[in-house]
Amino acid sequence: MMDWYALHRRESPWERAAGVYARVLSKPQLFIEGNHRSGSLIMSYILAQGGAAAIRADRC
């Protein structure tokens, strides 16, 4: 995932966040909704770094 992120640094925050989120969800899920919550948190962090609004994970 880190290699993918490094290759896509020049893309918009939305494209990077969506790509990382998809990669987090594609991993085996060890806990119910664990990957979804982790993915939402990482996606919100990437968006916040890029100056975009964060995603609300409590309603997903």
Side-chain angles (χ1 to χ4, degrees), residues 10 15-16 31 36 46 58:
R10 297 189 190 274
E15 291 172 320
R16 287 191 321 251
F31 303 101
H36 170 71
I46 292 169
D58 62 339

Side-chain angles (χ1 to χ4, degrees), residues 4 13-14 22 25-27 29 36-37 48 56 58:
W4 181 91
W14 288 100
L25 289 182
S26 70
K27 301 296 180 195
Q29 295 194 7
H36 170 71
R37 291 181 187 193
R56 285 185 60 180
D58 62 339

Side-chain angles (χ1 to χ4, degrees), residues 34-58:
N35 288 7
H36 170 71
R37 291 181 187 193
S38 298
S40 296
L41 182 63
I42 294 168
M43 185 169 56
S44 292
Y45 176 76
I46 292 169
L47 291 172
Q49 277 187 324
I55 300 295
R56 285 185 60 180
D58 62 339

